Amino acid sequence: MNIVVLVKQVPDTETKIKIKADGSGIETDGIKWVMNPYDEYAVEEALKIKEAGKADEVTILSMGPDRAIEAIRTGLAMGADKAIHVKVDSLDGMDALTTAQALAKGLDGVEYGLIVCGKQAMDDDQSAVPAMLCELLGIPQVTVVSKVEVGEGTVTVNRDIEGGAKMVIEAPLPALVAATKGLNEPRYASLPGIMKAKRKPVDVKNFADLGVEPVSKTEIIGWSLPDERAAGKVINTGDREQNVKELVRLLREEAKVI
């Protein structure tokens, strides 16, 4: 069985995001790009399934400009066998549906038994592409997954739900599962893995050749940063009891959380 892992390259979460002067997007100069953290759980889980003898190979599938190859090589360095890069000049103006359509076209001719991805991308937080891709492929999907067991023609997963409870779901293969934090502990790429990744095959498919119309059905009408947080307060009256009383007062009268 071939496991396909969807990988997106996103800004590092420690990057200081700057909005363009005209509010049309973010300044990309100086951004450090990394693999979407939730996708790291997906790569790790695919590798674990293969190492358990329940899959033969792991394929990375990613859509993005030339720089996306860095995230792809990261997945290959972790241990994936090969990759497909759906190359576009820019992701600007492409919504979730266009992305899902391109990824579905990128899988044309590719045999797979399971698709694994992160439950959401850390940049736009839409969580929309996996569901749309499954609709296009006609396969079931389970999201927010914290445990995966592959059986004979099925996959059984734990889906995290509110209140800390877990829903156990079984789905026929092929299916898509979207990983959440806690599914595993992603491995670091070893130096030999990094060297081998440079020689692993990457099938480049140009977006323009896939027959997907780059028309977005959604429009971003503006970008803005969240309000800056107010400065914190240090309570130090010199008396422990008074510190507690003052903390309670602030929580009740200013924060209004108690």
Side-chain angles (χ1 to χ4, degrees):
M1 179 175 72
N2 178 31
I3 301 177
V4 173
V5 184
L6 307 183
V7 166
K8 184 178 183 181
Q9 189 187 46
V10 299
D12 191 307
T13 53
E14 295 186 1
T15 295
K16 187 173 179 60
I17 298 297
K18 298 178 181 177
I19 304 296
K20 291 181 179 178
D22 61 1
S24 62
I26 63 172
E27 297 283 359
T28 56
D29 291 343
I31 284 181
K32 179 184 178 183
W33 298 94
V34 299
M35 179 190 292
N36 177 42
Y38 284 112
D39 296 344
E40 293 182 3
Y41 297 116
V43 175
E44 177 63 31
E45 195 64 20
L47 296 174
K48 289 176 62 178
I49 294 170
K50 178 187 172 184
E51 290 165 355
K54 297 181 179 179
D56 301 310
E57 60 181 358
V58 175
T59 302
I60 302 293
L61 172 61
S62 183
M63 173 176 163
D66 288 337
R67 58 173 166 74
I69 191 65
E70 299 169 10
I72 292 172
R73 292 292 180 195
T74 298
L76 294 174
M78 290 173 68
D81 300 286
K82 58 184 181 179
I84 301 169
H85 181 186
V86 177
K87 187 180 289 188
V88 293
D89 293 333
S90 171
L91 293 174
D92 292 346
M94 292 194 181
D95 63 5
L97 179 58
T98 304
T99 301
Q101 291 171 329
L103 292 176
K105 288 290 186 181
L107 285 174
D108 277 352
V110 178
E111 294 185 2
Y112 58 88
L114 181 66
I115 299 176
V116 192
C117 62
K119 72 180 182 73
Q120 66 193 90
M122 296 296 285
D123 51 358
D124 54 29
D125 271 345
Q126 292 190 65
S127 303
V129 170
M132 292 179 177
L133 177 61
C134 288
E135 182 68 21
L136 294 169
L137 297 176
I139 63 174
Q141 58 133 356
V142 188
T143 59
V144 199
V145 168
S146 59
K147 183 180 179 182
V148 178
E149 291 184 1
V150 175
E152 288 295 328
T154 62
V155 60
T156 303
V157 305
N158 284 6
R159 183 176 193 272
D160 291 1
I161 56 178
E162 290 186 8
K166 296 184 184 297
M167 180 186 297
V168 181
I169 300 174
E170 182 181 275
L173 296 176
L176 178 148
V177 296
T180 189
K181 186 177 181 181
L183 175 61
N184 52 51
E185 188 64 34
R187 69 193 68 184
Y188 290 103
S190 64
L191 181 57
I194 294 172
M195 298 305 292
K196 289 179 181 177
K198 298 177 180 178
R199 300 189 296 273
K200 291 182 177 178
V202 178
D203 183 9
V204 178
K205 299 184 177 183
N206 290 311
F207 179 90
D209 299 331
L210 297 178
V212 177
E213 190 71 19
V215 176
S216 176
K217 296 183 182 299
T218 59
E219 179 185 3
I220 298 175
I221 59 175
W223 294 70
S224 64
L225 294 174
D227 295 334
E228 291 191 12
R229 291 183 178 180
K233 292 185 176 179
V234 177
I235 302 173
N236 186 11
T237 65
D239 180 86
R240 182 181 302 175
E241 185 175 343
Q242 288 301 316
N243 287 345
V244 173
K245 288 181 179 179
E246 178 63 6
L247 175 60
V248 172
R249 186 191 70 79
L250 292 172
L251 291 174
R252 178 178 291 124
E253 297 179 4
E254 293 191 10
K256 300 184 185 304
V257 295
I258 60 176

